[in-house]
């Protein structure tokens, strides 16, 4: 017994001697910075489970890591001080009789109020000041005085009484804000304020595993959010029910006052701190999301599955409409796994508001239209065991919006367009100082609407393309490499293995600074070549320009030499001129953009940042040694029960599909629409610009060819088959390590073949016995079809476990 006591005391002394903040404060600092345990662990070179243990007090950092951990926490504390450090020193509370304390507590309960609004119905916001009800900072006003959104006040404390008294004095409106017209407080719809009711939200006896899951990158840490409001806005919250009470996975958000359907609608209309913040000053924010779990559905009396018949669905909708109308709220015309609940300006019950509601157990149910509105929510909500979990959905949703700065759309392609509009808004609103009216106009450098297609680059479905092809004339064919292969050399034929490597995020490796045709294309005769500064299409003849024989031709998607002149995008022409000596003065025609700019710079930064953060949580980071990367990549999909890794794997897949789908969107064929509707809705949209896609595809293909060429020059090794961005090399061992050019110190050569997760680097797909490759080529089959029939160590897994496509799970060419 004494030994156990001594051990306990020694552990206590060790904890005290570290000089670190309390475990709870360590966790607060990490969450305030938006860091995951895996990120902290990677920086400190420890296991992520240790970081979690340090934060719950079950373990103590060792002396070897304490100095670095202290440095991290001190840096975070300087940037994210605790609220107590920002407030006045606390005043010692005076003892009170129980009855007196109860009366004072009741008097301090915040009452529902009508907050001041702008003419458009949005809430008036000003500099943060102490709320007149609770003393905590608020950016909102009620009759000109600082006050919180409904249900967000906390009881006042003696430490804030002085601040509260100060706010009872008239407060002048900021110079940049118009004084709000005093409005009488609206009468509450219910007799009780909409706030967390102690009797309705009992604390569970033990934490639920679902609610204890770590939150990935809280939205409050989003750099673009204003500091005064950053901690108040959350993109999503999950509402769960436990033992007759409510549990939310964001404790800063108040719970509904009761458990009835009407209480829930009243709660939605109180102005909850839910919102997707705008990513650009000229952009727009988005509605926040409330996700209902299976427990919440049961408590609200809603069906566990979405009604399958029209009669049952209509009955459910009538029930929801009736409950919402009591508090002045409305719901979307269509009910499905995801719908909107909103209140119009001037409606009874409170200010204008709008919230998206997602019901996790209903995801994947309903007709095609209902499922389409929540297509991306389904994978975000899918837990490792395959169930649709609301807590999983909101945790990943917050990470998604924090990474990208925009909420998920209906599809990955539309999400990519929403993100582009969020980080580089097309429209800017301007106020007429004379009339006071607002009007919108395109921002400088924005993509214009309308059918701006030119004949050589109008896309496969456009009438201009059909007309050209019917007359036997050429159109632009800038595409990814497709099914190129050559005969094996004598040296390659005696090697026993074919090693397949694949480019990681090849488009993201070029779109950051790529100059794209933003303005319309204009026809120019005998154009002057400016070194590739102007985006456009050029009529070039590369038939007389010699290229490397062991590599696919850099200017054609089939890899074979062109047989005559054709239309090529600027990246292709620039590469042929600088690398192979093509003479640009021979160009006779061009379609040149009236405005050229790196259109996707901000877009690329957002997606690439999220992509890298997701893979970092899976143990894949920039700068890893080749052998270390291969080992980490081999197990990166083994997430087990770790929610951080499971979330990261889902998010990484979504981010890859978003940039692929977004680039494919520029040439959207929308096969479900007839020709006339397609011309009006698709070809006339700003998001339909095939020439932009041609430039991106050309740049990615040229970047790949440049890496292949440099590797050939340094090592004498070239791929004998290429499909999209998957390359097959003959090798002496089932590993790509022998293919990598390295410096004398063993580090990779820039611009050549290298392993890694960063965009433009490569990963090992599989190793195939060369005999199997030769047999496939003798059958006139492309050898890349074998890629998914073998593991990376050369073990056959059979065609039934592979895929029929390219053998490339990161195929960039799919739209």
């Amino acid at each position: 017994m004494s030994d156990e006591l001594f051990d306990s005391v020694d552990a206590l002394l060790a904890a005290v001697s570290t000089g670190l903040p309390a475990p709870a404060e360590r966790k607060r600092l990490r969450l305030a910075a938006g860091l995951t345990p895996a990120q902290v662990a990677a920086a400190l070179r420890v296991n992520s489970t240790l970081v979690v243990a340090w934060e719950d007090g079950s373990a103590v950092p060792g002396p070897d890591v304490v100095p670095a951990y202290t440095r991290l926490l001190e840096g975070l504390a300087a940037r994210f001080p605790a609220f107590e450090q920002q407030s006045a020193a606390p005043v010692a509370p005076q003892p009170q009789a129980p009855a007196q304390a109860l009366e004072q507590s009741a008097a301090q309960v915040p009452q529902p109020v009508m907050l001041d609004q702008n003419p458009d119905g949005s809430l008036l916001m000003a500099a943060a000041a102490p709320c007149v009800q609770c003393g905590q900072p608020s950016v909102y006003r009620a009759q000109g005085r600082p006050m919180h959104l409904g249900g967000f006040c906390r009881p006042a404390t003696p430490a804030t009484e002085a601040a509260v008294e100060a706010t009872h004095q008239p407060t002048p409106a900021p110079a940049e804000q118009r004084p709000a017209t005093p409005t009488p407080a609206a009468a509450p719809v219910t007799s009780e304020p909409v706030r967390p009711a102690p009797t309705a939200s009992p604390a569970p006896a033990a934490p639920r595993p679902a609610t204890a899951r770590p939150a990935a990158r809280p939205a409050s840490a989003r750099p673009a959010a204003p500091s005064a409001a950053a901690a108040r806005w959350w993109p999503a919250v999950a509402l769960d029910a436990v033992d007759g009470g409510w549990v939310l996975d964001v404790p800063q958000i108040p719970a509904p006052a009761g458990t009835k359907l009407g209480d829930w609608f009243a709660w939605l209309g109180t102005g909850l701190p839910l919102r997707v913040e705008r990513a650009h000053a000229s952009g727009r924010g988005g509605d926040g999301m409330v996700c209902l779990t299976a427990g919440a559905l049961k408590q609200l009396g809603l069906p566990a599955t979405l009604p399958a018949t029209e009669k049952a669905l209509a009955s459910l909708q009538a029930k929801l409409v009736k409950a919402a109308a009591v508090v002045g709220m409305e719901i979307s015309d269509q009910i499905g796994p995801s719908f909107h609940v909103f209140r119009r300006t001037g409606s009874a019950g409170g200010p204008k508001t709008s919230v998206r509601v997602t019901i996790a157990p209903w995801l994947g149910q309903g007709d095609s239209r209902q499922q389409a509105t929540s297509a991306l929510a389904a994978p975000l909500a899918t837990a490792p065991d395959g169930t649709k979990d609301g807590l999983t959905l909101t945790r990943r949703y917050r990470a998604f919006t924090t990474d990208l700065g925009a909420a998920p759309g209906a599809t990955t392609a539309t999400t990519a367009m929403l993100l582009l509009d969020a980080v580089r808004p097309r429209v800017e609103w301007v106020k007429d100082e004379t009339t006071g009216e607002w009007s919108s106009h395109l921002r400088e450098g924005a993509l214009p609407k309308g059918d701006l297609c030119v004949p050589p680059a109008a896309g496969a479905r456009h009438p201009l393309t059909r007309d050209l092809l019917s007359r036997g004339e050429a159109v632009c064919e800038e595409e990814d490499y497709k099914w190129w292969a050559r005969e094996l050399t004598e040296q390659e034929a005696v090697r026993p293995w074919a090693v397949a490597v694949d480019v990681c995020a090849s488009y993201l490796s070029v779109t950051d600074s790529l100059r794209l045709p933003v303005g319309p294309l204009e026809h120019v005769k005998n154009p002057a070549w400016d070194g590739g500064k102007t985006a456009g299409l050029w009529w070039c003849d590369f038939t007389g320009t010699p290229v490397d024989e062991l590599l696919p031709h850099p200017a054609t998607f089939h890899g074979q030499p062109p047989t005559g002149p054709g239309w090529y995008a600027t990246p292709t022409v620039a590469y042929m001129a600088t690398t192979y000596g093509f003479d640009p003065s021979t160009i006779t025609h061009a379609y040149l953009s009236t405005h050229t700019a790196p259109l996707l710079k901000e877009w690329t930064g957002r997606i690439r940042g999220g992509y890298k953060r997701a893979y970092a949580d899976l143990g894949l980071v920039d700068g890893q040694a080749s052998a270390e990367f291969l080992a980490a990549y081999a197990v990166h999909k083994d997430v087990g029960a770790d929610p951080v890794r499971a979330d990261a794997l889902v998010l990484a897949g979504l981010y890859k599909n978003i940039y692929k789908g977004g680039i494919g969107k520029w040439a959207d064929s929308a096969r479900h629409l007839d020709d006339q509707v397609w011309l009006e809705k698709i070809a006339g949209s700003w998001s339909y610009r095939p020439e932009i896609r041609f430039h991106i595809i050309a740049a990615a293909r040229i970047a790949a060819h440049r890496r292949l060429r440099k590797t050939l020059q340094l090592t004498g090794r070239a791929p004998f088959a290429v499909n999209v961005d998957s390359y097959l090399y003959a090798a002496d061992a089932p590993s790509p390590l022998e293919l990598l050019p390295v410096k004398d110190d063993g580090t990779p050569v820039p611009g050549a073949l290298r392993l890694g997760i960063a965009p433009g680097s490569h990963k090992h797909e599989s190793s195939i016995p060369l005999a199997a490759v030769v047999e496939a080529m003798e059958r006139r089959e492309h050898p890349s079809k074998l890629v998914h029939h073998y593991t990376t160590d050369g073990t056959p897994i059979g065609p039934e476990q592979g895929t029929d496509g390219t053998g490339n799970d990161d195929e960039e060419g799919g739209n």
Side-chain angles (χ1 to χ4, degrees), residues 559-781:
Q560 303 301 324
T563 57
W567 291 102
Y568 300 93
T570 298
T572 300
V573 181
Y575 184 66
M576 293 297 294
T578 58
T579 304
Y580 294 106
F582 169 72
D583 183 6
S585 66
T586 60
I587 301 175
T588 56
H589 294 273
Y591 283 92
L592 303 182
S593 175
T594 58
H595 180 60
T596 300
L599 175 68
L600 298 181
K601 185 174 182 62
E602 299 86 358
W603 182 86
T604 303
R606 292 279 185 165
I607 300 179
R608 187 170 56 189
Y611 167 93
K612 286 188 173 183
R613 281 189 289 272
Y615 274 114
D617 286 342
L618 296 169
L620 298 166
V621 297
D622 287 349
Q624 287 178 305
S626 297
E628 180 187 1
F629 168 76
L630 290 175
Y633 191 83
V635 298
H636 82 282
K637 293 184 180 180
D638 300 334
V639 300
D642 185 348
V644 173
R645 290 178 61 85
D647 292 355
L649 190 62
V650 170
L651 291 172
L654 278 181
Y655 297 157
K656 290 192 292 184
N657 288 330
I658 284 170
Y659 74 74
K660 295 176 190 177
I663 292 167
K665 185 75 172 175
W666 298 119
D668 186 6
S669 65
R671 296 180 180 88
H672 64 286
L673 300 176
D674 60 48
D675 287 353
Q676 188 58 39
V677 175
W678 179 85
L679 278 173
E680 295 172 359
K681 290 191 173 181
I682 305 300
S685 169
W686 67 272
S687 61
Y688 182 78
R689 295 287 296 272
E691 71 276 17
I692 292 180
R693 179 179 175 274
F694 285 145
H695 276 71
I696 297 170
I697 299 289
R701 191 189 66 244
I702 292 302
H705 192 278
R706 184 180 285 111
R707 289 189 293 266
L708 297 179
R709 185 171 188 266
K710 188 166 186 178
T711 302
L712 173 62
Q713 291 174 335
L714 294 173
T715 66
R717 310 287 282 272
F720 62 84
V722 175
N723 188 31
V724 191
D725 50 12
S726 180
Y727 316 133
L728 273 73
Y729 282 83
D732 295 321
S735 169
L737 294 178
E738 67 183 80
L739 307 173
L740 308 179
V742 294
K743 301 178 185 177
D744 293 339
D745 59 1
T747 58
V749 175
L753 191 71
R754 63 182 299 171
L755 296 178
I757 200 61
S761 295
H762 302 73
K763 64 178 182 288
H764 184 193
E765 284 192 287
S766 69
S767 298
I768 311 166
L770 194 65
V773 168
V774 172
E775 290 178 7
M777 296 177 73
E778 289 176 348
R779 296 193 302 267
R780 303 185 68 81
E781 295 180 0

Side-chain angles (χ1 to χ4, degrees), residues 228-457:
R232 297 210 174 270
W233 295 110
W234 297 80
V237 64
L239 182 65
D240 198 5
V242 176
D243 299 329
W246 295 115
V247 174
L248 294 95
D249 65 341
V250 178
Q252 293 87 340
I253 296 178
T259 59
K260 304 296 184 182
L261 196 57
D263 298 325
W264 178 63
F265 276 112
W267 174 69
L268 292 177
T270 57
L272 297 173
L274 293 172
R275 180 187 183 126
V276 178
E277 298 268 30
R278 59 185 180 182
H280 188 282
S282 297
R284 294 179 297 177
D287 291 341
M289 182 186 74
V290 171
C291 181
L292 297 182
T293 65
L297 279 181
K298 183 177 180 181
Q299 185 149 288
L300 291 172
L302 298 176
T305 59
L306 183 66
T309 65
E310 290 188 9
K311 182 178 180 180
L313 193 63
S315 176
L316 173 62
Q317 183 157 2
K319 177 181 178 180
L320 293 172
V321 168
K322 183 178 179 180
V326 174
V327 290
M329 302 287 283
E330 301 176 54
I331 63 175
S332 303
D333 293 337
Q334 295 290 329
I335 293 297
S338 184
F339 56 92
H340 271 87
V341 177
F342 58 94
R343 182 189 289 122
R344 301 178 191 272
T345 303
S347 297
K352 174 183 177 182
T353 188
S354 179
V355 180
R356 173 176 287 277
V357 173
T358 299
I359 301 178
W362 293 0
L363 290 170
Q365 301 175 17
D367 58 29
S368 57
R369 180 178 177 182
Q370 292 166 331
Q371 293 185 40
T373 60
S374 55
L376 287 193
L380 286 172
T382 304
D385 61 2
T387 60
K388 300 295 189 296
D389 178 34
L391 296 163
T392 298
L393 170 60
T394 53
R395 187 176 66 245
R396 293 173 180 172
Y397 192 98
R398 290 192 291 267
F400 185 103
T401 54
T402 302
D403 282 343
L404 299 194
T411 66
T412 53
T414 56
T415 300
M417 294 296 105
L418 290 172
L419 175 59
L420 179 57
D421 201 25
V423 299
R424 190 185 176 97
R426 297 178 59 252
V427 173
E428 188 172 57
W429 287 85
V430 177
K431 181 180 179 182
D432 189 319
E433 297 299 336
T434 304
T435 63
E437 295 183 354
W438 291 83
S439 62
S440 64
H441 63 83
L442 283 180
R443 297 176 67 239
E444 183 180 355
L447 290 169
K449 257 189 174 183
D451 188 349
L452 305 177
C453 292
V454 295

Side-chain angles (χ1 to χ4, degrees), residues 26-49:
R26 302 170 198 171
K27 184 174 182 179
R28 185 196 72 80
L29 291 171
R30 177 178 60 77
L31 292 176
L35 299 174
T36 64
Q39 289 173 298
V40 174
L44 299 176
R45 304 295 190 269
V46 297
N47 193 287
S48 59
T49 57

Side-chain angles (χ1 to χ4, degrees), residues 534-549:
T534 302
L537 304 174
W538 311 77
W539 182 252
C540 303
D541 188 352
F542 297 140
T543 56
T545 305
V547 296
D548 298 279
E549 294 182 357

